[in-house]
């Protein structure tokens, strides 16, 4: 489905604003601290129910107001959707076509979405958790069941860890949660294998385009379970058997450390340039090309899997890019067929009020006005 319009009420510093999303590029331009990222975040929030930046619910509500509201309309081959999200400090409510949404999973797959934010640079050098989350978010969108497996795994993990922390360590319950981990964990790992195998060729190709002299970028799944690399080709029951065994072996360690020490909650994804892990040496500029290549690869594969270009949200799209690289990037986005909503403190080179398929909004003190 395609996102068509966005309306914000009392969201962050925006009292009220409406944005018509253009077929190719909607660009929000303005000085620092005016509300560009806030507007982008509202759109991301309505589609994923996660803020773009770490935040408490109350942070999303305009200071002095009690409820933030975001409305997004979607069109597609079937019925149009109206997403209506209300956020208060104490909770949120989502209505789709006027009906209360009970399972967020029903919303998450509606629009293929790729988001690129300056915080994503941390993917290159930061904690494995960031890379796991990024990969899982991509896999959810090509294989909706992955979301359920990830949640089942997290739930069993929390329960087992809780039990390990308590003094009464009932073996039977530990085994029961271990069994749930083995089943959901094998599915989680299978999804991650799939995601990496989809991304690998596209990532290398996209990176070569963005940074022709930048070395060969590769991505690999690094499961936490020793020997699991060899197990990549295992079927699901063999993979759960591997996990079951690993949990058994690690039980004394788990009891001593009072937490589950083996399993895919410790997986990593390795990015490497010419075979050397980027975690150890990537420069700021290299990190940027790496993350952009990753998001472009996701967009490529989402387009292939779903038959329509994804919505690409790019916060501060052109930061640190010179004009040549910036226009090359825009040409690439056009070629992917992604519908882009981007922000920046200046307009991209070549973009003007007359450019077909584009909308420009200037953002000032929380007010958005259409410039073309
Ligand atoms: N809940 C809120 N109520 C009122 N103002 C808020 C709220 N949350 C954030 N703001 C304000 O919004 C402004 C920043 O908005 P935003 O992050 O969208 O800036 P930006 O235009 O993207 O700037 P930059 O170019 O620096 O990234 C800040 O001044 C911040 O204090
Ligand atoms: Mg910003």
């Amino acid at each position: 489905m395609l996102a068509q319009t966005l309306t914000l009420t009392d969201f962050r510093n925006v009292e009220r604003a409406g944005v018509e999303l253009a077929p190719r590029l909607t660009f929000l331009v303005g000085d620092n601290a005016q509300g560009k990222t806030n507007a982008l975040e509202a759109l991301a929030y309505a589609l994923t129910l996660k803020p773009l930046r770490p935040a408490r619910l109350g942070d999303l509500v305009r200071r002095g107001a009690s409820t933030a509201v975001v409305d997004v309309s979607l069109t597609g081959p079937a019925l149009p959707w109206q997403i209506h999200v209300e956020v208060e400090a104490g909770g949120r409510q989502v209505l789709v076509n006027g009906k209360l949404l009970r399972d967020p999973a029903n919303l998450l797959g509606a629009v293929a979405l790729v988001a690129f934010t300056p915080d994503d640079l941390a993917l290159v050098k930061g904690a494995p958790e960031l890379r796991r989350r990024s990969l899982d978010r991509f896999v959810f969108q090509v294989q909706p069941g992955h979301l359920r497996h990830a949640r089942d795994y997290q739930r069993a993990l929390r329960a087992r860890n809780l039990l390990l922390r308590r003094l009464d360590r009932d073996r039977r319950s530990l085994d029961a949660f271990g069994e749930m981990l083995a089943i959901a964990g094998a599915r989680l790992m299978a999804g991650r294998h799939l995601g990496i195998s989809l991304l690998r060729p596209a990532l290398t190709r996209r990176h070569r385009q963005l940074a022709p002299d930048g070395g060969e970028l590769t991505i690999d799944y690094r499961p936490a379970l020793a020997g699991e690399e060899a197990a990549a080709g295992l079927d699901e029951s063999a993979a759960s058997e591997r996990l079951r065994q690993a949990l058994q072996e690690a039980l004394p360690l788990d009891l001593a450390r009072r937490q589950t020490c083996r399993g895919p909650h410790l997986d990593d994804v390795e990015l490497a340039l010419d075979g050397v892990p980027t975690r150890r040496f990537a420069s700021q500029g290299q990190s940027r090309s790496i993350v952009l290549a990753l998001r472009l690869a996701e967009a490529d594969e989402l387009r292939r899997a779903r038959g329509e270009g994804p919505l690409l949200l790019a916060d501060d799209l052109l930061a640190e890019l010179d004009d040549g690289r910036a226009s090359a990037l825009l040409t690439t986005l056009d070629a992917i067929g992604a519908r882009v909503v981007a922000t920046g403190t200046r307009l991209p080179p070549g973009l003007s009020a007359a450019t077909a398929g584009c909308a420009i909004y200037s953002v000032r003190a929380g007010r958005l006005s259409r410039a073309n």
Side-chain angles (χ1 to χ4, degrees), residues 274-298:
D274 289 333
V276 186
T278 59
R279 203 169 346 111
R280 301 214 308 268
F281 70 87
S283 73
Q284 191 76 358
Q286 276 175 324
S287 298
R288 233 189 134 77
S289 319
I290 290 167
V291 177
L292 269 173
L294 178 64
R295 296 303 186 228
L296 290 176
E298 290 178 5

Side-chain angles (χ1 to χ4, degrees), residues 12-13 32-38 53 59 61-63:
R12 296 241 191 219
N13 73 336
N32 295 137
Q34 301 301 311
K36 304 180 298 293
T37 303
N38 293 347
R53 304 162 281 189
D59 298 341
V61 182
R62 191 172 63 87
R63 278 191 284 280

Side-chain angles (χ1 to χ4, degrees), residues 148-164 173-185 247 259-260 265:
R148 198 177 57 248
H149 305 147
R151 280 196 191 149
D152 288 350
Y153 186 85
Q154 282 306 332
R155 213 172 292 137
L157 182 67
R158 264 197 305 272
R160 189 171 187 271
N161 283 345
L162 207 67
L163 219 57
L164 286 166
S173 309
L174 271 180
D175 286 349
F177 288 123
E179 183 55 27
M180 284 156 76
L181 285 181
I183 291 170
L247 286 168
Q259 56 175 317
T260 306
H265 57 290

Side-chain angles (χ1 to χ4, degrees), residues 233-251:
L234 285 183
D235 66 23
E236 200 176 292
S237 70
S240 1
E241 188 48 37
R242 258 305 278 122
L243 251 171
R244 214 170 273 124
Q245 239 173 38
L247 286 168
Q248 279 299 332
E249 284 162 17
L251 188 61

Side-chain angles (χ1 to χ4, degrees), residues 19-162:
V19 180
E20 299 259 349
L21 302 177
R24 285 170 57 206
L25 171 65
T26 305
F27 202 88
L28 311 179
V29 64
D31 290 342
N32 295 137
Q34 301 301 311
K36 304 180 298 293
T37 303
N38 293 347
L40 197 69
E41 182 170 52
L43 179 57
Y45 191 75
L47 296 173
T48 63
L49 303 179
K50 295 247 174 350
L52 274 182
R53 304 162 281 189
R56 287 167 305 177
L57 281 179
D59 298 341
L60 303 182
V61 182
R62 191 172 63 87
R63 278 191 284 280
S66 61
T67 313
V69 181
V70 184
D71 287 283
V72 174
S73 66
L74 307 179
T75 56
L79 273 181
W81 280 27
Q82 284 293 336
I83 303 172
H84 174 86
V85 183
E86 290 186 14
V87 182
E88 293 179 1
R92 62 144 204 255
Q93 201 177 55
V94 186
L95 303 178
V96 175
N97 293 341
K99 287 208 193 82
L100 194 65
L101 179 81
R102 292 191 194 283
D103 184 358
N106 296 333
L107 176 67
L108 295 186
V111 175
L113 185 88
V114 175
F116 173 74
T117 73
D119 290 350
D120 285 344
L121 295 186
L123 273 178
V124 175
K125 293 181 150 182
E129 187 193 354
L130 299 172
R131 289 180 288 278
R132 282 197 299 272
R133 240 193 282 142
S134 167
L135 174 62
D136 284 339
R137 224 174 7 236
F138 166 70
V139 180
F140 295 158
Q141 302 192 63
V142 287
Q143 198 185 63
H146 191 70
L147 181 60
R148 198 177 57 248
H149 305 147
R151 280 196 191 149
D152 288 350
Y153 186 85
Q154 282 306 332
R155 213 172 292 137
L157 182 67
R158 264 197 305 272
R160 189 171 187 271
N161 283 345
L162 207 67

